[in-house]
Amino acid sequence: MEKEILISKAAIKERVSELAAQISLDYAGKEPILIGILKGAIFFFADLMREISIPTKMDFMRASSYGSNTHSSGSVHLTKDVELPIQGRPVIIVEDIVDSGLTLAYIKENLEGRGVESLRICALIDKHERREREVPVDYCGFKIEEGFLVGYGLDCNEEYRYLPAIYVLKENS
Ligand code: IMP
Ligand code: MG
């Protein structure tokens, strides 16, 4: 499939540093647990965590939603859960992209039900076009209106994750 560059490697790096600086300020004196949502958030998570200047801990969750390659269906379930104790801890969810919001809404409610001290969401990309559930994105890398994005961890049917920049897939190609 043809693709066109949307966000360069340098632009990602710069924005990740800005997000990390903001999180470091907001959580000064705390040790938040960063929960990465596998697999798409993997590079964003790794780059962000290294740029945050305060101590943090890492954990991961994986959610699956049945649906086609480019639309989530809304029925979300967890296929991997966190392993660290999170009760009473400040938690930041690190996600690649918010589209309908169904995945994050599910994960957010699930984690809130476990008595975390606080919960914020950090997403590299906020794609507003198809939002069905309002989820607050406290730390947002880039806002885009539409398009299906790949690269920097984002996939289309498990392809393109390895690309170091973010591309938009061209339809009908
Ligand atoms: P949501 O539940 O519709 O918000 O979808 C969230 C998940 O769908 C993300 O975690 C991604 O894995 C995937 N997704 C949504 N939009 C895109 C995209 O443009 N490119 C790649 N994956 C996407
Ligand atoms: Mg994902």
mmCIF file of all heavy atoms in Angstrom, residues 37-41 62-63 65 69-74 76 95-105 107 125 127 129-133 135 144 146-151 153-157 159 161 166-169, ligand 1:
data_model
loop_
_atom_site.group_PDB
_atom_site.id
_atom_site.type_symbol
_atom_site.label_atom_id
_atom_site.label_comp_id
_atom_site.label_asym_id
_atom_site.label_seq_id
_atom_site.Cartn_x
_atom_site.Cartn_y
_atom_site.Cartn_z
ATOM 1 N N ILE A 37 0.297 0.329 26.617
ATOM 2 C CA ILE A 37 -0.685 -0.563 26.005
ATOM 3 C C ILE A 37 -0.034 -1.215 24.780
ATOM 4 O O ILE A 37 0.293 -0.542 23.804
ATOM 5 C CB ILE A 37 -1.976 0.206 25.611
ATOM 6 C CG1 ILE A 37 -2.507 1.044 26.800
ATOM 7 C CG2 ILE A 37 -3.038 -0.783 25.114
ATOM 8 C CD1 ILE A 37 -2.806 0.265 28.074
ATOM 9 N N LEU A 38 0.187 -2.518 24.900
ATOM 10 C CA LEU A 38 0.858 -3.277 23.835
ATOM 11 C C LEU A 38 -0.077 -3.460 22.638
ATOM 12 O O LEU A 38 -1.276 -3.519 22.815
ATOM 13 C CB LEU A 38 1.280 -4.649 24.376
ATOM 14 C CG LEU A 38 2.287 -4.607 25.533
ATOM 15 C CD1 LEU A 38 2.499 -6.009 26.090
ATOM 16 C CD2 LEU A 38 3.605 -3.996 25.089
ATOM 17 N N LYS A 39 0.480 -3.618 21.426
ATOM 18 C CA LYS A 39 1.884 -3.501 21.140
ATOM 19 C C LYS A 39 2.236 -2.112 20.610
ATOM 20 O O LYS A 39 3.379 -1.721 20.589
ATOM 21 C CB LYS A 39 2.265 -4.544 20.061
ATOM 22 C CG LYS A 39 2.105 -5.981 20.527
ATOM 23 C CD LYS A 39 2.659 -6.965 19.483
ATOM 24 C CE LYS A 39 1.549 -7.455 18.600
ATOM 25 N NZ LYS A 39 1.939 -8.586 17.710
ATOM 26 N N GLY A 40 1.208 -1.382 20.157
ATOM 27 C CA GLY A 40 1.449 -0.161 19.389
ATOM 28 C C GLY A 40 2.239 0.917 20.120
ATOM 29 O O GLY A 40 2.948 1.702 19.498
ATOM 30 N N ALA A 41 2.135 0.957 21.452
ATOM 31 C CA ALA A 41 2.751 2.060 22.203
ATOM 32 C C ALA A 41 4.218 1.799 22.532
ATOM 33 O O ALA A 41 4.859 2.609 23.185
ATOM 34 C CB ALA A 41 1.968 2.311 23.500
ATOM 35 N N ARG A 62 -2.378 -5.460 27.537
ATOM 36 C CA ARG A 62 -2.713 -5.643 26.128
ATOM 37 C C ARG A 62 -4.210 -5.832 26.045
ATOM 38 O O ARG A 62 -4.791 -6.615 26.803
ATOM 39 C CB ARG A 62 -1.974 -6.858 25.578
ATOM 40 C CG ARG A 62 -2.250 -7.139 24.124
ATOM 41 C CD ARG A 62 -0.984 -7.661 23.458
ATOM 42 N NE ARG A 62 -1.250 -8.308 22.187
ATOM 43 C CZ ARG A 62 -1.562 -7.667 21.065
ATOM 44 N NH1 ARG A 62 -1.708 -6.353 21.066
ATOM 45 N NH2 ARG A 62 -1.753 -8.326 19.951
ATOM 46 N N ALA A 63 -4.824 -5.072 25.170
ATOM 47 C CA ALA A 63 -6.270 -5.163 24.989
ATOM 48 C C ALA A 63 -6.540 -5.570 23.556
ATOM 49 O O ALA A 63 -5.841 -5.152 22.637
ATOM 50 C CB ALA A 63 -6.917 -3.812 25.270
ATOM 51 N N SER A 65 -9.614 -5.825 20.618
ATOM 52 C CA SER A 65 -11.010 -5.557 20.291
ATOM 53 C C SER A 65 -11.297 -6.261 18.983
ATOM 54 O O SER A 65 -10.504 -6.214 18.046
ATOM 55 C CB SER A 65 -11.279 -4.060 20.195
ATOM 56 O OG SER A 65 -10.733 -3.531 19.030
ATOM 57 N N ASN A 69 -9.542 -4.593 10.272
ATOM 58 C CA ASN A 69 -8.191 -4.072 10.429
ATOM 59 C C ASN A 69 -8.166 -2.616 10.833
ATOM 60 O O ASN A 69 -7.253 -2.170 11.496
ATOM 61 C CB ASN A 69 -7.422 -4.220 9.114
ATOM 62 C CG ASN A 69 -7.172 -5.674 8.791
ATOM 63 O OD1 ASN A 69 -7.214 -6.517 9.682
ATOM 64 N ND2 ASN A 69 -6.934 -5.965 7.534
ATOM 65 N N THR A 70 -9.135 -1.850 10.390
ATOM 66 C CA THR A 70 -9.043 -0.413 10.601
ATOM 67 C C THR A 70 -10.128 0.160 11.499
ATOM 68 O O THR A 70 -10.139 1.345 11.768
ATOM 69 C CB THR A 70 -9.077 0.346 9.245
ATOM 70 O OG1 THR A 70 -10.246 -0.033 8.541
ATOM 71 C CG2 THR A 70 -7.848 0.036 8.416
ATOM 72 N N HIS A 71 -11.061 -0.670 11.980
ATOM 73 C CA HIS A 71 -12.101 -0.170 12.896
ATOM 74 C C HIS A 71 -12.180 -1.087 14.098
ATOM 75 O O HIS A 71 -12.253 -2.297 13.935
ATOM 76 C CB HIS A 71 -13.491 -0.201 12.243
ATOM 77 C CG HIS A 71 -13.661 0.800 11.162
ATOM 78 N ND1 HIS A 71 -13.043 0.664 9.946
ATOM 79 C CD2 HIS A 71 -14.372 1.943 11.113
ATOM 80 C CE1 HIS A 71 -13.378 1.699 9.182
ATOM 81 N NE2 HIS A 71 -14.181 2.488 9.868
ATOM 82 N N SER A 72 -12.223 -0.527 15.304
ATOM 83 C CA SER A 72 -12.445 -1.423 16.429
ATOM 84 C C SER A 72 -13.950 -1.581 16.616
ATOM 85 O O SER A 72 -14.732 -0.706 16.292
ATOM 86 C CB SER A 72 -11.751 -0.913 17.699
ATOM 87 O OG SER A 72 -12.379 0.218 18.200
ATOM 88 N N SER A 73 -14.348 -2.756 17.123
ATOM 89 C CA SER A 73 -15.764 -3.092 17.148
ATOM 90 C C SER A 73 -16.444 -2.637 18.427
ATOM 91 O O SER A 73 -17.659 -2.561 18.491
ATOM 92 C CB SER A 73 -15.912 -4.603 17.053
ATOM 93 O OG SER A 73 -15.368 -5.177 18.228
ATOM 94 N N GLY A 74 -15.660 -2.377 19.455
ATOM 95 C CA GLY A 74 -16.287 -1.955 20.699
ATOM 96 C C GLY A 74 -16.304 -3.027 21.757
ATOM 97 O O GLY A 74 -16.433 -2.723 22.921
ATOM 98 N N VAL A 76 -14.189 -4.947 23.867
ATOM 99 C CA VAL A 76 -12.782 -4.946 24.242
ATOM 100 C C VAL A 76 -12.575 -5.987 25.341
ATOM 101 O O VAL A 76 -13.422 -6.153 26.199
ATOM 102 C CB VAL A 76 -12.385 -3.555 24.782
ATOM 103 C CG1 VAL A 76 -10.912 -3.490 25.142
ATOM 104 C CG2 VAL A 76 -12.728 -2.472 23.763
ATOM 105 N N GLU A 95 -0.552 5.251 25.603
ATOM 106 C CA GLU A 95 -1.219 4.613 24.462
ATOM 107 C C GLU A 95 -0.700 5.228 23.168
ATOM 108 O O GLU A 95 -0.267 6.369 23.138
ATOM 109 C CB GLU A 95 -2.742 4.801 24.619
ATOM 110 C CG GLU A 95 -3.611 4.345 23.473
ATOM 111 C CD GLU A 95 -3.562 2.855 23.160
ATOM 112 O OE1 GLU A 95 -2.453 2.321 23.003
ATOM 113 O OE2 GLU A 95 -4.642 2.245 23.019
ATOM 114 N N ASP A 96 -0.748 4.456 22.098
ATOM 115 C CA ASP A 96 -0.280 4.974 20.812
ATOM 116 C C ASP A 96 -1.272 5.963 20.209
ATOM 117 O O ASP A 96 -0.928 7.085 19.884
ATOM 118 C CB ASP A 96 0.018 3.827 19.826
ATOM 119 C CG ASP A 96 -1.134 2.830 19.666
ATOM 120 O OD1 ASP A 96 -2.182 2.994 20.333
ATOM 121 O OD2 ASP A 96 -0.985 1.881 18.869
ATOM 122 N N ILE A 97 -2.520 5.542 20.089
ATOM 123 C CA ILE A 97 -3.487 6.374 19.371
ATOM 124 C C ILE A 97 -4.888 6.153 19.930
ATOM 125 O O ILE A 97 -5.250 5.026 20.255
ATOM 126 C CB ILE A 97 -3.412 6.069 17.848
ATOM 127 C CG1 ILE A 97 -4.329 6.978 17.029
ATOM 128 C CG2 ILE A 97 -3.668 4.623 17.536
ATOM 129 C CD1 ILE A 97 -4.020 6.949 15.526
ATOM 130 N N VAL A 98 -5.632 7.219 20.090
ATOM 131 C CA VAL A 98 -7.030 7.111 20.513
ATOM 132 C C VAL A 98 -7.888 7.412 19.302
ATOM 133 O O VAL A 98 -7.759 8.474 18.690
ATOM 134 C CB VAL A 98 -7.384 8.133 21.623
ATOM 135 C CG1 VAL A 98 -8.726 7.777 22.243
ATOM 136 C CG2 VAL A 98 -6.307 8.191 22.677
ATOM 137 N N ASP A 99 -8.752 6.469 18.961
ATOM 138 C CA ASP A 99 -9.597 6.631 17.777
ATOM 139 C C ASP A 99 -11.049 6.721 18.248
ATOM 140 O O ASP A 99 -11.535 7.791 18.590
ATOM 141 C CB ASP A 99 -9.339 5.443 16.843
ATOM 142 C CG ASP A 99 -10.063 5.554 15.519
ATOM 143 O OD1 ASP A 99 -10.543 6.646 15.198
ATOM 144 O OD2 ASP A 99 -10.140 4.542 14.791
ATOM 145 N N SER A 100 -11.775 5.608 18.313
ATOM 146 C CA SER A 100 -13.153 5.662 18.825
ATOM 147 C C SER A 100 -13.151 5.966 20.319
ATOM 148 O O SER A 100 -14.134 6.478 20.850
ATOM 149 C CB SER A 100 -13.854 4.321 18.576
ATOM 150 O OG SER A 100 -13.324 3.323 19.418
ATOM 151 N N GLY A 101 -12.064 5.638 20.993
ATOM 152 C CA GLY A 101 -11.998 5.835 22.442
ATOM 153 C C GLY A 101 -12.482 4.624 23.223
ATOM 154 O O GLY A 101 -12.383 4.583 24.446
ATOM 155 N N LEU A 102 -12.985 3.613 22.513
ATOM 156 C CA LEU A 102 -13.572 2.446 23.196
ATOM 157 C C LEU A 102 -12.521 1.661 23.983
ATOM 158 O O LEU A 102 -12.766 1.249 25.114
ATOM 159 C CB LEU A 102 -14.257 1.531 22.167
ATOM 160 C CG LEU A 102 -15.487 2.150 21.482
ATOM 161 C CD1 LEU A 102 -15.913 1.321 20.273
ATOM 162 C CD2 LEU A 102 -16.644 2.287 22.468
ATOM 163 N N THR A 103 -11.351 1.471 23.386
ATOM 164 C CA THR A 103 -10.296 0.719 24.071
ATOM 165 C C THR A 103 -9.876 1.427 25.357
ATOM 166 O O THR A 103 -9.849 0.819 26.430
ATOM 167 C CB THR A 103 -9.064 0.558 23.142
ATOM 168 O OG1 THR A 103 -9.494 -0.029 21.906
ATOM 169 C CG2 THR A 103 -8.001 -0.305 23.781
ATOM 170 N N LEU A 104 -9.584 2.715 25.251
ATOM 171 C CA LEU A 104 -9.115 3.446 26.430
ATOM 172 C C LEU A 104 -10.200 3.614 27.480
ATOM 173 O O LEU A 104 -9.918 3.568 28.676
ATOM 174 C CB LEU A 104 -8.583 4.824 26.031
ATOM 175 C CG LEU A 104 -7.086 4.896 25.804
ATOM 176 C CD1 LEU A 104 -6.651 6.337 25.643
ATOM 177 C CD2 LEU A 104 -6.330 4.256 26.967
ATOM 178 N N ALA A 105 -11.436 3.799 27.060
ATOM 179 C CA ALA A 105 -12.526 3.939 28.022
ATOM 180 C C ALA A 105 -12.631 2.661 28.851
ATOM 181 O O ALA A 105 -12.783 2.700 30.076
ATOM 182 C CB ALA A 105 -13.843 4.234 27.307
ATOM 183 N N ILE A 107 -10.174 0.391 29.400
ATOM 184 C CA ILE A 107 -8.987 0.250 30.253
ATOM 185 C C ILE A 107 -9.044 1.217 31.434
ATOM 186 O O ILE A 107 -8.717 0.870 32.562
ATOM 187 C CB ILE A 107 -7.704 0.468 29.413
ATOM 188 C CG1 ILE A 107 -7.519 -0.724 28.468
ATOM 189 C CG2 ILE A 107 -6.485 0.660 30.295
ATOM 190 C CD1 ILE A 107 -6.376 -0.575 27.488
ATOM 191 N N ILE A 125 -1.076 10.045 19.733
ATOM 192 C CA ILE A 125 -1.955 10.646 18.725
ATOM 193 C C ILE A 125 -3.405 10.594 19.177
ATOM 194 O O ILE A 125 -3.889 9.577 19.659
ATOM 195 C CB ILE A 125 -1.807 9.922 17.369
ATOM 196 C CG1 ILE A 125 -0.396 10.166 16.821
ATOM 197 C CG2 ILE A 125 -2.839 10.417 16.352
ATOM 198 C CD1 ILE A 125 0.059 9.118 15.877
ATOM 199 N N LYS A 127 -6.905 10.975 17.542
ATOM 200 C CA LYS A 127 -7.607 11.046 16.251
ATOM 201 C C LYS A 127 -9.090 11.212 16.550
ATOM 202 O O LYS A 127 -9.742 10.295 17.026
ATOM 203 C CB LYS A 127 -7.333 9.759 15.476
ATOM 204 C CG LYS A 127 -7.885 9.742 14.083
ATOM 205 C CD LYS A 127 -7.203 8.690 13.227
ATOM 206 C CE LYS A 127 -7.682 7.301 13.508
ATOM 207 N NZ LYS A 127 -7.177 6.311 12.533
ATOM 208 N N GLU A 129 -11.816 12.043 14.730
ATOM 209 C CA GLU A 129 -12.839 11.755 13.717
ATOM 210 C C GLU A 129 -13.905 10.744 14.130
ATOM 211 O O GLU A 129 -15.091 10.948 13.913
ATOM 212 C CB GLU A 129 -12.074 11.259 12.488
ATOM 213 C CG GLU A 129 -12.886 10.658 11.386
ATOM 214 C CD GLU A 129 -11.967 9.960 10.365
ATOM 215 O OE1 GLU A 129 -10.990 9.309 10.770
ATOM 216 O OE2 GLU A 129 -12.247 10.108 9.181
ATOM 217 N N ARG A 130 -13.482 9.645 14.743
ATOM 218 C CA ARG A 130 -14.438 8.566 15.013
ATOM 219 C C ARG A 130 -14.723 8.365 16.494
ATOM 220 O O ARG A 130 -15.097 7.285 16.923
ATOM 221 C CB ARG A 130 -13.916 7.264 14.425
ATOM 222 C CG ARG A 130 -14.164 7.166 12.920
ATOM 223 C CD ARG A 130 -14.149 5.718 12.482
ATOM 224 N NE ARG A 130 -12.887 5.081 12.812
ATOM 225 C CZ ARG A 130 -11.999 4.710 11.903
ATOM 226 N NH1 ARG A 130 -12.216 4.924 10.646
ATOM 227 N NH2 ARG A 130 -10.893 4.116 12.274
ATOM 228 N N ARG A 131 -14.531 9.432 17.303
ATOM 229 C CA ARG A 131 -14.685 9.270 18.744
ATOM 230 C C ARG A 131 -16.109 8.907 19.116
ATOM 231 O O ARG A 131 -17.064 9.551 18.710
ATOM 232 C CB ARG A 131 -14.264 10.580 19.449
ATOM 233 C CG ARG A 131 -14.080 10.476 20.968
ATOM 234 C CD ARG A 131 -12.977 9.510 21.385
ATOM 235 N NE ARG A 131 -11.771 9.615 20.574
ATOM 236 C CZ ARG A 131 -10.799 10.477 20.818
ATOM 237 N NH1 ARG A 131 -10.873 11.297 21.836
ATOM 238 N NH2 ARG A 131 -9.746 10.513 20.049
ATOM 239 N N GLU A 132 -16.263 7.822 19.858
ATOM 240 C CA GLU A 132 -17.582 7.399 20.331
ATOM 241 C C GLU A 132 -17.699 7.525 21.834
ATOM 242 O O GLU A 132 -18.769 7.766 22.360
ATOM 243 C CB GLU A 132 -17.846 5.934 19.941
ATOM 244 C CG GLU A 132 -18.024 5.740 18.445
ATOM 245 C CD GLU A 132 -18.118 4.266 18.093
ATOM 246 O OE1 GLU A 132 -18.749 3.517 18.849
ATOM 247 O OE2 GLU A 132 -17.532 3.884 17.061
ATOM 248 N N ARG A 133 -16.583 7.302 22.539
ATOM 249 C CA ARG A 133 -16.569 7.458 23.989
ATOM 250 C C ARG A 133 -15.606 8.581 24.321
ATOM 251 O O ARG A 133 -14.464 8.562 23.890
ATOM 252 C CB ARG A 133 -16.076 6.160 24.668
ATOM 253 C CG ARG A 133 -17.046 4.990 24.589
ATOM 254 C CD ARG A 133 -18.192 5.103 25.592
ATOM 255 N NE ARG A 133 -17.774 5.323 26.966
ATOM 256 C CZ ARG A 133 -17.499 4.364 27.846
ATOM 257 N NH1 ARG A 133 -17.582 3.109 27.492
ATOM 258 N NH2 ARG A 133 -17.145 4.659 29.082
ATOM 259 N N VAL A 135 -12.931 10.241 26.151
ATOM 260 C CA VAL A 135 -11.895 9.938 27.137
ATOM 261 C C VAL A 135 -10.945 11.132 27.193
ATOM 262 O O VAL A 135 -10.545 11.653 26.165
ATOM 263 C CB VAL A 135 -11.100 8.640 26.811
ATOM 264 C CG1 VAL A 135 -11.879 7.403 27.182
ATOM 265 C CG2 VAL A 135 -10.694 8.600 25.364
ATOM 266 N N ILE A 144 -4.878 14.651 15.153
ATOM 267 C CA ILE A 144 -5.142 14.596 13.722
ATOM 268 C C ILE A 144 -6.637 14.375 13.500
ATOM 269 O O ILE A 144 -7.329 13.842 14.359
ATOM 270 C CB ILE A 144 -4.324 13.512 12.989
ATOM 271 C CG1 ILE A 144 -4.801 12.107 13.379
ATOM 272 C CG2 ILE A 144 -2.824 13.637 13.229
ATOM 273 C CD1 ILE A 144 -4.611 11.131 12.253
ATOM 274 N N GLU A 146 -8.157 12.768 10.628
ATOM 275 C CA GLU A 146 -8.555 11.523 9.965
ATOM 276 C C GLU A 146 -7.356 10.809 9.372
ATOM 277 O O GLU A 146 -6.238 11.314 9.409
ATOM 278 C CB GLU A 146 -9.554 11.827 8.850
ATOM 279 C CG GLU A 146 -8.979 12.829 7.874
ATOM 280 C CD GLU A 146 -9.961 13.252 6.803
ATOM 281 O OE1 GLU A 146 -11.095 12.771 6.832
ATOM 282 O OE2 GLU A 146 -9.567 14.041 5.955
ATOM 283 N N GLY A 147 -7.616 9.636 8.825
ATOM 284 C CA GLY A 147 -6.567 8.873 8.158
ATOM 285 C C GLY A 147 -6.107 7.703 9.009
ATOM 286 O O GLY A 147 -6.250 7.723 10.222
ATOM 287 N N PHE A 148 -5.597 6.675 8.343
ATOM 288 C CA PHE A 148 -5.078 5.528 9.065
ATOM 289 C C PHE A 148 -3.561 5.597 9.086
ATOM 290 O O PHE A 148 -2.910 5.659 8.062
ATOM 291 C CB PHE A 148 -5.554 4.206 8.444
ATOM 292 C CG PHE A 148 -5.374 3.066 9.394
ATOM 293 C CD1 PHE A 148 -6.293 2.841 10.410
ATOM 294 C CD2 PHE A 148 -4.254 2.241 9.307
ATOM 295 C CE1 PHE A 148 -6.110 1.808 11.324
ATOM 296 C CE2 PHE A 148 -4.068 1.207 10.217
ATOM 297 C CZ PHE A 148 -5.001 0.993 11.225
ATOM 298 N N LEU A 149 -2.997 5.632 10.292
ATOM 299 C CA LEU A 149 -1.572 5.887 10.459
ATOM 300 C C LEU A 149 -0.802 4.610 10.756
ATOM 301 O O LEU A 149 -1.309 3.721 11.438
ATOM 302 C CB LEU A 149 -1.346 6.877 11.609
ATOM 303 C CG LEU A 149 -2.165 8.165 11.590
ATOM 304 C CD1 LEU A 149 -1.665 9.118 12.668
ATOM 305 C CD2 LEU A 149 -2.113 8.831 10.233
ATOM 306 N N VAL A 150 0.422 4.558 10.247
ATOM 307 C CA VAL A 150 1.307 3.425 10.527
ATOM 308 C C VAL A 150 2.714 3.937 10.824
ATOM 309 O O VAL A 150 3.066 5.064 10.489
ATOM 310 C CB VAL A 150 1.369 2.423 9.336
ATOM 311 C CG1 VAL A 150 0.017 1.780 9.087
ATOM 312 C CG2 VAL A 150 1.891 3.098 8.060
ATOM 313 N N GLY A 151 3.511 3.061 11.442
ATOM 314 C CA GLY A 151 4.893 3.393 11.761
ATOM 315 C C GLY A 151 5.053 3.776 13.211
ATOM 316 O O GLY A 151 4.077 4.062 13.900
ATOM 317 N N GLY A 153 5.595 1.967 15.707
ATOM 318 C CA GLY A 153 4.805 1.050 16.530
ATOM 319 C C GLY A 153 3.397 0.805 16.014
ATOM 320 O O GLY A 153 2.802 -0.235 16.290
ATOM 321 N N LEU A 154 2.865 1.761 15.253
ATOM 322 C CA LEU A 154 1.492 1.614 14.735
ATOM 323 C C LEU A 154 1.485 0.661 13.535
ATOM 324 O O LEU A 154 2.347 0.767 12.657
ATOM 325 C CB LEU A 154 0.942 2.965 14.282
ATOM 326 C CG LEU A 154 0.692 3.972 15.383
ATOM 327 C CD1 LEU A 154 0.561 5.371 14.795
ATOM 328 C CD2 LEU A 154 -0.579 3.599 16.129
ATOM 329 N N ASP A 155 0.484 -0.203 13.493
ATOM 330 C CA ASP A 155 0.462 -1.201 12.430
ATOM 331 C C ASP A 155 -0.824 -1.151 11.628
ATOM 332 O O ASP A 155 -1.829 -0.591 12.041
ATOM 333 C CB ASP A 155 0.579 -2.600 13.025
ATOM 334 C CG ASP A 155 -0.716 -3.055 13.687
ATOM 335 O OD1 ASP A 155 -1.255 -2.288 14.513
ATOM 336 O OD2 ASP A 155 -1.203 -4.154 13.375
ATOM 337 N N CYS A 156 -0.750 -1.798 10.458
ATOM 338 C CA CYS A 156 -1.948 -2.168 9.727
ATOM 339 C C CYS A 156 -1.791 -3.657 9.503
ATOM 340 O O CYS A 156 -0.892 -4.075 8.762
ATOM 341 C CB CYS A 156 -2.038 -1.408 8.404
ATOM 342 S SG CYS A 156 -3.519 -1.860 7.483
ATOM 343 N N ASN A 157 -2.587 -4.456 10.210
ATOM 344 C CA ASN A 157 -2.469 -5.906 10.074
ATOM 345 C C ASN A 157 -1.053 -6.398 10.367
ATOM 346 O O ASN A 157 -0.523 -7.234 9.649
ATOM 347 C CB ASN A 157 -2.865 -6.290 8.647
ATOM 348 C CG ASN A 157 -3.748 -7.513 8.645
ATOM 349 O OD1 ASN A 157 -4.009 -8.108 9.688
ATOM 350 N ND2 ASN A 157 -4.193 -7.893 7.467
ATOM 351 N N GLU A 159 1.736 -5.014 9.917
ATOM 352 C CA GLU A 159 2.799 -4.484 9.064
ATOM 353 C C GLU A 159 3.148 -3.057 9.479
ATOM 354 O O GLU A 159 2.344 -2.386 10.115
ATOM 355 C CB GLU A 159 2.354 -4.489 7.592
ATOM 356 C CG GLU A 159 2.289 -5.901 7.030
ATOM 357 C CD GLU A 159 2.128 -5.880 5.523
ATOM 358 O OE1 GLU A 159 3.089 -5.484 4.833
ATOM 359 O OE2 GLU A 159 1.032 -6.234 5.059
ATOM 360 N N ARG A 161 5.103 -1.602 11.605
ATOM 361 C CA ARG A 161 5.415 -1.120 12.956
ATOM 362 C C ARG A 161 6.844 -0.603 13.069
ATOM 363 O O ARG A 161 7.140 0.287 13.851
ATOM 364 C CB ARG A 161 5.246 -2.247 13.986
ATOM 365 C CG ARG A 161 3.825 -2.652 14.290
ATOM 366 C CD ARG A 161 3.796 -3.475 15.578
ATOM 367 N NE ARG A 161 2.602 -4.279 15.727
ATOM 368 C CZ ARG A 161 1.457 -3.862 16.280
ATOM 369 N NH1 ARG A 161 1.363 -2.627 16.715
ATOM 370 N NH2 ARG A 161 0.428 -4.664 16.389
ATOM 371 N N ILE A 166 6.023 8.401 11.294
ATOM 372 C CA ILE A 166 4.603 8.055 11.168
ATOM 373 C C ILE A 166 4.090 8.447 9.786
ATOM 374 O O ILE A 166 4.319 9.572 9.317
ATOM 375 C CB ILE A 166 3.781 8.721 12.292
ATOM 376 C CG1 ILE A 166 4.199 8.109 13.641
ATOM 377 C CG2 ILE A 166 2.275 8.529 12.067
ATOM 378 C CD1 ILE A 166 3.601 8.781 14.847
ATOM 379 N N TYR A 167 3.400 7.510 9.162
ATOM 380 C CA TYR A 167 2.897 7.690 7.796
ATOM 381 C C TYR A 167 1.390 7.532 7.775
ATOM 382 O O TYR A 167 0.821 6.844 8.619
ATOM 383 C CB TYR A 167 3.501 6.625 6.870
ATOM 384 C CG TYR A 167 4.986 6.726 6.700
ATOM 385 C CD1 TYR A 167 5.840 6.236 7.699
ATOM 386 C CD2 TYR A 167 5.549 7.313 5.572
ATOM 387 C CE1 TYR A 167 7.209 6.341 7.563
ATOM 388 C CE2 TYR A 167 6.930 7.418 5.434
ATOM 389 C CZ TYR A 167 7.752 6.930 6.432
ATOM 390 O OH TYR A 167 9.112 7.039 6.298
ATOM 391 N N VAL A 168 0.755 8.140 6.777
ATOM 392 C CA VAL A 168 -0.665 7.898 6.564
ATOM 393 C C VAL A 168 -0.800 6.987 5.338
ATOM 394 O O VAL A 168 -0.137 7.198 4.319
ATOM 395 C CB VAL A 168 -1.462 9.228 6.441
ATOM 396 C CG1 VAL A 168 -0.953 10.093 5.300
ATOM 397 C CG2 VAL A 168 -2.944 8.975 6.324
ATOM 398 N N LEU A 169 -1.608 5.948 5.502
ATOM 399 C CA LEU A 169 -1.815 5.024 4.378
ATOM 400 C C LEU A 169 -2.753 5.652 3.375
ATOM 401 O O LEU A 169 -3.774 6.229 3.757
ATOM 402 C CB LEU A 169 -2.413 3.701 4.862
ATOM 403 C CG LEU A 169 -1.487 2.701 5.545
ATOM 404 C CD1 LEU A 169 -2.253 1.403 5.812
ATOM 405 C CD2 LEU A 169 -0.239 2.419 4.724
HETATM 406 P P1 IMP B 1 -10.131 2.801 19.595
HETATM 407 O O1 IMP B 1 -10.612 1.764 20.570
HETATM 408 O O2 IMP B 1 -11.038 2.925 18.400
HETATM 409 O O3 IMP B 1 -9.823 4.127 20.223
HETATM 410 O O4 IMP B 1 -8.824 2.225 18.934
HETATM 411 C C1 IMP B 1 -7.657 2.177 19.598
HETATM 412 C C2 IMP B 1 -6.710 1.173 18.983
HETATM 413 O O5 IMP B 1 -6.971 0.944 17.584
HETATM 414 C C3 IMP B 1 -5.344 1.752 19.074
HETATM 415 O O6 IMP B 1 -4.735 1.356 20.274
HETATM 416 C C4 IMP B 1 -4.670 1.191 17.858
HETATM 417 O O7 IMP B 1 -4.104 -0.055 18.180
HETATM 418 C C5 IMP B 1 -5.767 0.992 16.855
HETATM 419 N N1 IMP B 1 -5.821 2.118 15.894
HETATM 420 C C6 IMP B 1 -6.742 3.101 15.802
HETATM 421 N N2 IMP B 1 -6.456 3.960 14.809
HETATM 422 C C7 IMP B 1 -5.310 3.516 14.264
HETATM 423 C C8 IMP B 1 -4.477 3.985 13.191
HETATM 424 O O8 IMP B 1 -4.711 5.012 12.521
HETATM 425 N N3 IMP B 1 -3.366 3.249 12.928
HETATM 426 C C9 IMP B 1 -3.026 2.123 13.620
HETATM 427 N N4 IMP B 1 -3.759 1.657 14.651
HETATM 428 C C10 IMP B 1 -4.900 2.345 14.953
#
